[in-house]
Amino acid sequence: MRIIGIGIDLVDCNRIQSSIDRFGERFLKRVFTEGEIAYSNSMKFPARHLAARFAAKEALSKAFGTGIGKSMSWRDLDVQKKESGEPFVVLSGGAEKMANEREVGRIWISLSHTDESGMATIILEAHDR
């Protein structure tokens, strides 16, 4: 296994809730995909799940070494769940382009949250040669 990049991020759930309270749908639709919003809103405490997904987006940008903005947008990364509950990542736009250019074969993702924080770790693994 050849590692291309590793990223980790920790997000305060209150920060996400404050953004939702202040900007509402505008914030949600700017940062999260429809699936991420629907999933999180189906949970008892949506901000916790949104915070973990926000952290995943930041962690991915760190793994690529780019940040969010010029190379990829917030919605270029979609955190989804398998039936088993295991999270996985679907890339589009700039993130997908960057993954193809860097020959990313697999994206490993781990999410967690508490009442106060959401966190994510991303590992970018290269294609087998």
Side-chain angles (χ1 to χ4, degrees):
M1 169 180 8
R2 186 169 59 94
I3 303 296
I4 295 171
I6 299 171
I8 188 168
D9 198 62
L10 181 70
V11 175
D12 185 335
C13 294
N14 288 331
R15 177 178 162 216
I16 298 299
Q17 188 60 57
S18 293
S19 293
I20 295 167
D21 294 343
R22 184 170 179 195
F23 302 108
E25 288 293 310
R26 193 171 116 221
F27 166 71
L28 290 172
K29 290 185 176 187
R30 185 175 144 259
V31 175
F32 302 101
T33 65
E34 296 300 321
E36 291 169 328
I37 295 167
Y39 169 76
S40 297
N41 284 337
S42 75
M43 305 308 282
K44 186 172 183 179
F45 300 104
R48 295 176 189 175
H49 300 274
L50 291 167
R53 281 149 182 77
F54 189 98
K57 294 166 190 284
E58 288 283 356
L60 180 76
S61 73
K62 290 174 182 179
F64 277 124
T66 62
I68 301 288
K70 185 176 181 181
S71 298
M72 69 181 77
S73 72
W74 292 107
R75 293 172 50 100
D76 287 352
L77 173 114
D78 184 13
V79 178
Q80 299 181 13
K81 282 180 62 172
K82 296 179 181 178
E83 277 190 36
S84 65
E86 177 186 359
F88 67 99
V89 177
V90 176
L91 302 180
S92 62
E96 182 179 30
K97 180 181 178 201
M98 189 171 296
N100 290 334
E101 288 171 355
R102 297 189 183 184
E103 299 182 353
V104 173
R106 183 161 182 193
I107 299 173
W108 297 86
I109 179 171
S110 181
L111 303 174
S112 189
H113 63 76
T114 67
D115 295 349
E116 295 83 28
S117 302
M119 68 92 43
T121 301
I122 298 273
I123 298 173
L124 302 177
E125 181 182 344
H127 284 291
D128 291 332
R129 293 185 184 212

